[in-house]
Amino acid sequence: MNRPNSTEVNSARRVLDHTIELARIPAPTNEEGDRALMVSNWWSALGLRPEMDDVGNVLVRLSHAASEEPAILICAHLDTVFGRDTEHEVRFDGDNLVGPSVGDNSVAVAALVELPSILPSSLDRKSTRLNSSHLVISYAVFCLKKK
């Protein structure tokens, strides 16, 4: 197996850092607003224009193609089963990151936040038959427009 290059290492580090930040924020069902705002801010920092829908989903288009086009949706939920009364401490136990909501679902949301940084440069649009329109949602969290 090839060793990861510096871009891949940096990307993985951002996913890890975002996972830690998200996992520290309580987000019981219907109380995900703080996490949604954080995801929105991260996408804004990437120069994207995230939007929030009426129920609190965060979405962002990587390009502005017609919304009637078919799309592929990749998503992750922002809420967790842990209430606000649960201590949201995140720590390493050896090589493992542990804490409430790390696996439910902070790491998936953090990985999806990173997708706009890595997908456009690595996607072979001819072989995947994707055009240049991508939609990222945060609930939800990522949608690729497909021909």
Side-chain angles (χ1 to χ4, degrees):
M1 182 190 315
N2 293 337
R3 298 190 68 137
N5 63 40
S6 63
T7 301
E8 294 165 336
V9 169
N10 290 336
S11 180
R13 186 67 192 165
R14 283 190 300 272
V15 170
L16 181 61
D17 291 346
H18 287 335
T19 299
I20 292 168
E21 288 183 68
L22 279 174
R24 289 181 173 153
I25 300 172
T29 302
N30 298 320
E31 297 179 32
E32 306 95 337
D34 292 339
R35 283 186 180 206
L37 181 60
M38 180 168 279
V39 168
S40 180
N41 288 340
W42 286 333
W43 279 329
S44 292
L46 293 174
L48 303 171
R49 296 185 303 198
E51 304 168 30
M52 189 95 62
D53 70 13
D54 294 340
V55 295
N57 297 318
V58 182
L59 52 119
V60 64
R61 293 186 188 281
L62 297 184
S63 68
H64 300 285
S67 60
E68 305 84 46
E69 295 178 10
I72 298 169
L73 176 67
I74 306 168
C75 61
H77 61 88
L78 288 166
D79 66 334
T80 78
V81 297
F82 303 99
R84 292 195 177 276
D85 57 338
T86 300
E87 171 115 17
H88 282 73
E89 176 191 343
V90 180
R91 62 182 173 76
F92 281 94
D93 182 3
D95 289 338
N96 299 316
L97 184 64
V98 296
S101 88
V102 167
D104 177 33
N105 197 29
S106 298
V107 70
V109 174
L112 291 171
V113 166
E114 184 66 10
L115 282 179
S117 297
I118 60 176
L119 271 183
S121 62
S122 64
L123 249 147
D124 177 352
R125 288 181 180 85
K126 291 181 181 172
S127 66
T128 58
R129 304 186 69 178
L130 295 173
N131 67 22
S132 61
S133 297
H134 309 309
L135 170 67
V136 182
I137 304 180
S138 150
Y139 130 81
V141 179
F142 201 79
C143 181
L144 303 173
K145 292 292 192 175
K146 184 179 177 184
K147 277 190 170 177

